[in-house]
Amino acid sequence: MSTKTTTRPPDTRAVRRRVSLTDRIALRVGVSLIIWSRRTRTVRPSLDRATVARLERERRQRELDWLTQVAALRMWR
């Protein structure tokens, strides 16, 4: 633990600074580009058989883990 936080409380008065116009414009442009790129990409990337099999195994394992947790909780009651 830091000695600074133990000897005095942290300053809770945060200085409220306005966000500059250029930062607001940059944020808005960036969000617009993200939304645009997601809307224009209609074709999903193709997956090879090994990747599909791995994803299916992982999904089955998650479902099995979930079912065992539910069964354990019901036994606990």
Side-chain angles (χ1 to χ4, degrees):
M1 186 179 273
S2 174
T3 58
K4 283 186 177 180
T5 57
T6 56
T7 56
R8 64 183 174 90
D11 190 16
T12 56
R13 294 172 290 144
V15 178
R16 190 166 182 160
R17 290 181 286 161
R18 291 189 51 88
V19 178
S20 68
L21 177 63
T22 53
D23 285 343
R24 282 188 278 157
I25 292 172
L27 180 63
R28 193 165 291 216
V29 168
V31 169
S32 299
L33 285 173
I34 291 170
I35 292 170
W36 174 81
S37 69
R38 290 186 179 183
R39 285 185 182 165
T40 57
R41 191 172 298 148
T42 57
V43 178
R44 297 179 75 178
S46 60
L47 299 174
D48 59 318
R49 290 181 187 252
T51 305
V52 171
R54 180 181 55 81
L55 291 172
E56 183 64 25
R57 276 194 314 272
E58 289 174 358
R59 184 185 62 80
R60 271 192 261 124
Q61 184 61 42
R62 281 194 307 272
E63 288 177 357
L64 184 62
D65 292 343
W66 183 79
L67 288 173
T68 53
Q69 286 177 357
V70 168
L73 284 173
R74 285 192 178 178
M75 285 175 39
W76 186 259
R77 282 184 159 185

PDB file of all heavy atoms in Angstrom, residues 1-3 5 11-12 14-15 17-18 20 23 26-27 29 43 48 54 56 59 62 69 72 74:
ATOM      1  N   MET A   1       0.845  -1.168   0.000  1.00  0.00           N
ATOM      2  CA  MET A   1       0.000   0.000   0.000  1.00  0.00           C
ATOM      3  C   MET A   1       0.891   1.232   0.000  1.00  0.00           C
ATOM      4  O   MET A   1       1.900   1.299   0.679  1.00  0.00           O
ATOM      5  CB  MET A   1      -0.914  -0.024   1.222  1.00  0.00           C
ATOM      6  CG  MET A   1      -1.918   1.095   1.216  1.00  0.00           C
ATOM      7  SD  MET A   1      -3.013   1.041   2.626  1.00  0.00           S
ATOM      8  CE  MET A   1      -4.250  -0.026   1.996  1.00  0.00           C
ATOM      9  N   SER A   2       0.489   2.229  -0.750  1.00  0.00           N
ATOM     10  CA  SER A   2       1.274   3.442  -0.876  1.00  0.00           C
ATOM     11  C   SER A   2       1.171   4.281   0.394  1.00  0.00           C
ATOM     12  O   SER A   2       0.127   4.355   1.024  1.00  0.00           O
ATOM     13  CB  SER A   2       0.775   4.254  -2.066  1.00  0.00           C
ATOM     14  OG  SER A   2       1.435   5.485  -2.101  1.00  0.00           O
ATOM     15  N   THR A   3       2.261   4.919   0.756  1.00  0.00           N
ATOM     16  CA  THR A   3       2.232   5.776   1.949  1.00  0.00           C
ATOM     17  C   THR A   3       1.483   7.071   1.684  1.00  0.00           C
ATOM     18  O   THR A   3       0.993   7.703   2.604  1.00  0.00           O
ATOM     19  CB  THR A   3       3.656   6.107   2.412  1.00  0.00           C
ATOM     20  OG1 THR A   3       4.348   6.746   1.340  1.00  0.00           O
ATOM     21  CG2 THR A   3       4.386   4.867   2.849  1.00  0.00           C
ATOM     22  N   THR A   5      -1.405   7.391   0.153  1.00  0.00           N
ATOM     23  CA  THR A   5      -2.837   7.232   0.403  1.00  0.00           C
ATOM     24  C   THR A   5      -3.132   6.950   1.870  1.00  0.00           C
ATOM     25  O   THR A   5      -4.238   7.193   2.325  1.00  0.00           O
ATOM     26  CB  THR A   5      -3.416   6.105  -0.455  1.00  0.00           C
ATOM     27  OG1 THR A   5      -2.690   4.905  -0.177  1.00  0.00           O
ATOM     28  CG2 THR A   5      -3.332   6.434  -1.928  1.00  0.00           C
ATOM     29  N   ASP A  11      -7.315  13.740  -3.051  1.00  0.00           N
ATOM     30  CA  ASP A  11      -8.058  14.957  -3.355  1.00  0.00           C
ATOM     31  C   ASP A  11      -9.308  14.591  -4.140  1.00  0.00           C
ATOM     32  O   ASP A  11      -9.226  14.045  -5.237  1.00  0.00           O
ATOM     33  CB  ASP A  11      -7.180  15.907  -4.174  1.00  0.00           C
ATOM     34  CG  ASP A  11      -7.823  17.278  -4.308  1.00  0.00           C
ATOM     35  OD1 ASP A  11      -8.748  17.574  -3.536  1.00  0.00           O
ATOM     36  OD2 ASP A  11      -7.367  18.041  -5.186  1.00  0.00           O
ATOM     37  N   THR A  12     -10.470  14.854  -3.569  1.00  0.00           N
ATOM     38  CA  THR A  12     -11.718  14.474  -4.213  1.00  0.00           C
ATOM     39  C   THR A  12     -12.267  15.577  -5.100  1.00  0.00           C
ATOM     40  O   THR A  12     -13.214  15.345  -5.841  1.00  0.00           O
ATOM     41  CB  THR A  12     -12.777  14.121  -3.160  1.00  0.00           C
ATOM     42  OG1 THR A  12     -12.929  15.222  -2.269  1.00  0.00           O
ATOM     43  CG2 THR A  12     -12.356  12.893  -2.366  1.00  0.00           C
ATOM     44  N   ALA A  14     -12.206  17.172  -8.174  1.00  0.00           N
ATOM     45  CA  ALA A  14     -11.649  17.049  -9.517  1.00  0.00           C
ATOM     46  C   ALA A  14     -11.854  18.358 -10.271  1.00  0.00           C
ATOM     47  O   ALA A  14     -12.903  18.980 -10.192  1.00  0.00           O
ATOM     48  CB  ALA A  14     -12.326  15.915 -10.261  1.00  0.00           C
ATOM     49  N   VAL A  15     -10.828  18.758 -10.964  1.00  0.00           N
ATOM     50  CA  VAL A  15     -10.912  19.976 -11.760  1.00  0.00           C
ATOM     51  C   VAL A  15     -11.702  19.649 -13.016  1.00  0.00           C
ATOM     52  O   VAL A  15     -11.353  18.739 -13.762  1.00  0.00           O
ATOM     53  CB  VAL A  15      -9.512  20.493 -12.130  1.00  0.00           C
ATOM     54  CG1 VAL A  15      -9.606  21.727 -13.004  1.00  0.00           C
ATOM     55  CG2 VAL A  15      -8.708  20.766 -10.881  1.00  0.00           C
ATOM     56  N   ARG A  17     -12.605  20.169 -16.552  1.00  0.00           N
ATOM     57  CA  ARG A  17     -12.060  20.813 -17.741  1.00  0.00           C
ATOM     58  C   ARG A  17     -12.988  20.559 -18.918  1.00  0.00           C
ATOM     59  O   ARG A  17     -13.524  19.473 -19.069  1.00  0.00           O
ATOM     60  CB  ARG A  17     -10.681  20.267 -18.057  1.00  0.00           C
ATOM     61  CG  ARG A  17      -9.639  20.688 -17.042  1.00  0.00           C
ATOM     62  CD  ARG A  17      -8.310  20.136 -17.412  1.00  0.00           C
ATOM     63  NE  ARG A  17      -8.310  18.695 -17.105  1.00  0.00           N
ATOM     64  CZ  ARG A  17      -7.479  17.822 -17.612  1.00  0.00           C
ATOM     65  NH1 ARG A  17      -6.576  18.193 -18.468  1.00  0.00           N
ATOM     66  NH2 ARG A  17      -7.537  16.565 -17.275  1.00  0.00           N
ATOM     67  N   ARG A  18     -13.150  21.574 -19.731  1.00  0.00           N
ATOM     68  CA  ARG A  18     -13.976  21.401 -20.920  1.00  0.00           C
ATOM     69  C   ARG A  18     -13.167  20.667 -21.985  1.00  0.00           C
ATOM     70  O   ARG A  18     -11.960  20.864 -22.105  1.00  0.00           O
ATOM     71  CB  ARG A  18     -14.423  22.748 -21.457  1.00  0.00           C
ATOM     72  CG  ARG A  18     -15.408  23.423 -20.524  1.00  0.00           C
ATOM     73  CD  ARG A  18     -16.013  24.651 -21.133  1.00  0.00           C
ATOM     74  NE  ARG A  18     -16.570  24.453 -22.467  1.00  0.00           N
ATOM     75  CZ  ARG A  18     -17.836  24.058 -22.702  1.00  0.00           C
ATOM     76  NH1 ARG A  18     -18.624  23.812 -21.702  1.00  0.00           N
ATOM     77  NH2 ARG A  18     -18.267  23.925 -23.929  1.00  0.00           N
ATOM     78  N   SER A  20     -11.949  20.070 -25.637  1.00  0.00           N
ATOM     79  CA  SER A  20     -11.756  21.000 -26.750  1.00  0.00           C
ATOM     80  C   SER A  20     -12.605  20.593 -27.949  1.00  0.00           C
ATOM     81  O   SER A  20     -13.019  19.442 -28.100  1.00  0.00           O
ATOM     82  CB  SER A  20     -10.278  21.043 -27.157  1.00  0.00           C
ATOM     83  OG  SER A  20      -9.913  19.811 -27.724  1.00  0.00           O
ATOM     84  N   ASP A  23     -11.062  17.818 -30.043  1.00  0.00           N
ATOM     85  CA  ASP A  23     -11.219  16.493 -29.457  1.00  0.00           C
ATOM     86  C   ASP A  23     -12.625  15.953 -29.671  1.00  0.00           C
ATOM     87  O   ASP A  23     -12.823  14.780 -29.960  1.00  0.00           O
ATOM     88  CB  ASP A  23     -10.899  16.527 -27.967  1.00  0.00           C
ATOM     89  CG  ASP A  23      -9.414  16.615 -27.692  1.00  0.00           C
ATOM     90  OD1 ASP A  23      -8.636  16.334 -28.626  1.00  0.00           O
ATOM     91  OD2 ASP A  23      -9.043  16.963 -26.562  1.00  0.00           O
ATOM     92  N   ALA A  26     -12.900  14.919 -33.308  1.00  0.00           N
ATOM     93  CA  ALA A  26     -12.150  13.685 -33.550  1.00  0.00           C
ATOM     94  C   ALA A  26     -12.897  12.478 -33.007  1.00  0.00           C
ATOM     95  O   ALA A  26     -12.950  11.424 -33.656  1.00  0.00           O
ATOM     96  CB  ALA A  26     -10.759  13.780 -32.913  1.00  0.00           C
ATOM     97  N   LEU A  27     -13.493  12.624 -31.834  1.00  0.00           N
ATOM     98  CA  LEU A  27     -14.256  11.521 -31.258  1.00  0.00           C
ATOM     99  C   LEU A  27     -15.461  11.187 -32.130  1.00  0.00           C
ATOM    100  O   LEU A  27     -15.748  10.028 -32.402  1.00  0.00           O
ATOM    101  CB  LEU A  27     -14.701  11.874 -29.845  1.00  0.00           C
ATOM    102  CG  LEU A  27     -15.514  10.814 -29.120  1.00  0.00           C
ATOM    103  CD1 LEU A  27     -14.694   9.556 -28.908  1.00  0.00           C
ATOM    104  CD2 LEU A  27     -16.013  11.355 -27.798  1.00  0.00           C
ATOM    105  N   VAL A  29     -15.884  11.786 -35.362  1.00  0.00           N
ATOM    106  CA  VAL A  29     -15.432  11.195 -36.621  1.00  0.00           C
ATOM    107  C   VAL A  29     -15.025   9.739 -36.403  1.00  0.00           C
ATOM    108  O   VAL A  29     -15.356   8.858 -37.202  1.00  0.00           O
ATOM    109  CB  VAL A  29     -14.269  12.022 -37.220  1.00  0.00           C
ATOM    110  CG1 VAL A  29     -13.584  11.274 -38.350  1.00  0.00           C
ATOM    111  CG2 VAL A  29     -14.776  13.363 -37.701  1.00  0.00           C
ATOM    112  N   VAL A  43     -20.388  -9.155 -45.738  1.00  0.00           N
ATOM    113  CA  VAL A  43     -19.939 -10.535 -45.941  1.00  0.00           C
ATOM    114  C   VAL A  43     -19.096 -10.955 -44.759  1.00  0.00           C
ATOM    115  O   VAL A  43     -18.106 -10.298 -44.419  1.00  0.00           O
ATOM    116  CB  VAL A  43     -19.129 -10.653 -47.250  1.00  0.00           C
ATOM    117  CG1 VAL A  43     -18.635 -12.070 -47.441  1.00  0.00           C
ATOM    118  CG2 VAL A  43     -19.961 -10.196 -48.422  1.00  0.00           C
ATOM    119  N   ASP A  48     -12.488 -21.948 -41.849  1.00  0.00           N
ATOM    120  CA  ASP A  48     -12.114 -23.283 -42.283  1.00  0.00           C
ATOM    121  C   ASP A  48     -12.703 -24.324 -41.333  1.00  0.00           C
ATOM    122  O   ASP A  48     -13.222 -23.998 -40.262  1.00  0.00           O
ATOM    123  CB  ASP A  48     -10.594 -23.405 -42.362  1.00  0.00           C
ATOM    124  CG  ASP A  48      -9.931 -23.122 -41.034  1.00  0.00           C
ATOM    125  OD1 ASP A  48     -10.358 -22.178 -40.354  1.00  0.00           O
ATOM    126  OD2 ASP A  48      -9.004 -23.841 -40.683  1.00  0.00           O
ATOM    127  N   ARG A  54     -13.294 -26.264 -33.759  1.00  0.00           N
ATOM    128  CA  ARG A  54     -12.801 -25.760 -32.475  1.00  0.00           C
ATOM    129  C   ARG A  54     -13.853 -24.901 -31.784  1.00  0.00           C
ATOM    130  O   ARG A  54     -14.082 -25.024 -30.577  1.00  0.00           O
ATOM    131  CB  ARG A  54     -11.520 -24.946 -32.696  1.00  0.00           C
ATOM    132  CG  ARG A  54     -10.936 -24.384 -31.408  1.00  0.00           C
ATOM    133  CD  ARG A  54      -9.675 -23.571 -31.668  1.00  0.00           C
ATOM    134  NE  ARG A  54      -9.849 -22.502 -32.625  1.00  0.00           N
ATOM    135  CZ  ARG A  54     -10.375 -21.294 -32.337  1.00  0.00           C
ATOM    136  NH1 ARG A  54     -10.771 -21.039 -31.103  1.00  0.00           N
ATOM    137  NH2 ARG A  54     -10.499 -20.376 -33.272  1.00  0.00           N
ATOM    138  N   GLU A  56     -17.058 -25.060 -32.175  1.00  0.00           N
ATOM    139  CA  GLU A  56     -18.147 -25.933 -31.730  1.00  0.00           C
ATOM    140  C   GLU A  56     -17.763 -26.671 -30.449  1.00  0.00           C
ATOM    141  O   GLU A  56     -18.569 -26.801 -29.533  1.00  0.00           O
ATOM    142  CB  GLU A  56     -18.486 -26.930 -32.842  1.00  0.00           C
ATOM    143  CG  GLU A  56     -19.631 -27.845 -32.530  1.00  0.00           C
ATOM    144  CD  GLU A  56     -20.952 -27.104 -32.369  1.00  0.00           C
ATOM    145  OE1 GLU A  56     -21.113 -26.007 -32.929  1.00  0.00           O
ATOM    146  OE2 GLU A  56     -21.821 -27.650 -31.661  1.00  0.00           O
ATOM    147  N   ARG A  59     -17.944 -24.217 -27.588  1.00  0.00           N
ATOM    148  CA  ARG A  59     -19.334 -23.934 -27.230  1.00  0.00           C
ATOM    149  C   ARG A  59     -19.935 -25.079 -26.425  1.00  0.00           C
ATOM    150  O   ARG A  59     -20.584 -24.867 -25.405  1.00  0.00           O
ATOM    151  CB  ARG A  59     -20.177 -23.703 -28.491  1.00  0.00           C
ATOM    152  CG  ARG A  59     -21.612 -23.300 -28.191  1.00  0.00           C
ATOM    153  CD  ARG A  59     -22.442 -23.200 -29.452  1.00  0.00           C
ATOM    154  NE  ARG A  59     -22.546 -24.453 -30.161  1.00  0.00           N
ATOM    155  CZ  ARG A  59     -23.392 -25.441 -29.823  1.00  0.00           C
ATOM    156  NH1 ARG A  59     -24.170 -25.316 -28.795  1.00  0.00           N
ATOM    157  NH2 ARG A  59     -23.427 -26.550 -30.525  1.00  0.00           N
ATOM    158  N   ARG A  62     -18.508 -24.975 -22.903  1.00  0.00           N
ATOM    159  CA  ARG A  62     -19.144 -23.929 -22.095  1.00  0.00           C
ATOM    160  C   ARG A  62     -20.534 -24.360 -21.635  1.00  0.00           C
ATOM    161  O   ARG A  62     -20.910 -24.133 -20.482  1.00  0.00           O
ATOM    162  CB  ARG A  62     -19.247 -22.626 -22.897  1.00  0.00           C
ATOM    163  CG  ARG A  62     -17.977 -21.840 -22.972  1.00  0.00           C
ATOM    164  CD  ARG A  62     -18.222 -20.436 -23.471  1.00  0.00           C
ATOM    165  NE  ARG A  62     -18.949 -20.390 -24.730  1.00  0.00           N
ATOM    166  CZ  ARG A  62     -18.398 -20.429 -25.935  1.00  0.00           C
ATOM    167  NH1 ARG A  62     -17.086 -20.507 -26.043  1.00  0.00           N
ATOM    168  NH2 ARG A  62     -19.134 -20.365 -27.023  1.00  0.00           N
ATOM    169  N   GLN A  69     -22.600 -26.511 -13.365  1.00  0.00           N
ATOM    170  CA  GLN A  69     -22.728 -25.491 -12.316  1.00  0.00           C
ATOM    171  C   GLN A  69     -24.171 -25.380 -11.840  1.00  0.00           C
ATOM    172  O   GLN A  69     -24.431 -25.264 -10.643  1.00  0.00           O
ATOM    173  CB  GLN A  69     -22.256 -24.139 -12.839  1.00  0.00           C
ATOM    174  CG  GLN A  69     -20.758 -24.039 -12.968  1.00  0.00           C
ATOM    175  CD  GLN A  69     -20.330 -22.708 -13.554  1.00  0.00           C
ATOM    176  OE1 GLN A  69     -21.151 -21.885 -13.918  1.00  0.00           O
ATOM    177  NE2 GLN A  69     -19.024 -22.512 -13.654  1.00  0.00           N
ATOM    178  N   ALA A  72     -24.908 -28.390  -9.726  1.00  0.00           N
ATOM    179  CA  ALA A  72     -24.274 -28.276  -8.410  1.00  0.00           C
ATOM    180  C   ALA A  72     -25.038 -27.298  -7.521  1.00  0.00           C
ATOM    181  O   ALA A  72     -25.206 -27.544  -6.316  1.00  0.00           O
ATOM    182  CB  ALA A  72     -22.821 -27.841  -8.571  1.00  0.00           C
ATOM    183  N   ARG A  74     -28.210 -26.628  -7.710  1.00  0.00           N
ATOM    184  CA  ARG A  74     -29.487 -27.249  -7.298  1.00  0.00           C
ATOM    185  C   ARG A  74     -29.265 -28.288  -6.211  1.00  0.00           C
ATOM    186  O   ARG A  74     -30.094 -28.454  -5.329  1.00  0.00           O
ATOM    187  CB  ARG A  74     -30.158 -27.888  -8.506  1.00  0.00           C
ATOM    188  CG  ARG A  74     -30.763 -26.850  -9.412  1.00  0.00           C
ATOM    189  CD  ARG A  74     -31.663 -27.469 -10.417  1.00  0.00           C
ATOM    190  NE  ARG A  74     -32.253 -26.407 -11.240  1.00  0.00           N
ATOM    191  CZ  ARG A  74     -33.046 -26.624 -12.234  1.00  0.00           C
ATOM    192  NH1 ARG A  74     -33.352 -27.864 -12.567  1.00  0.00           N
ATOM    193  NH2 ARG A  74     -33.533 -25.618 -12.920  1.00  0.00           N
TER     194      ARG A  74
END
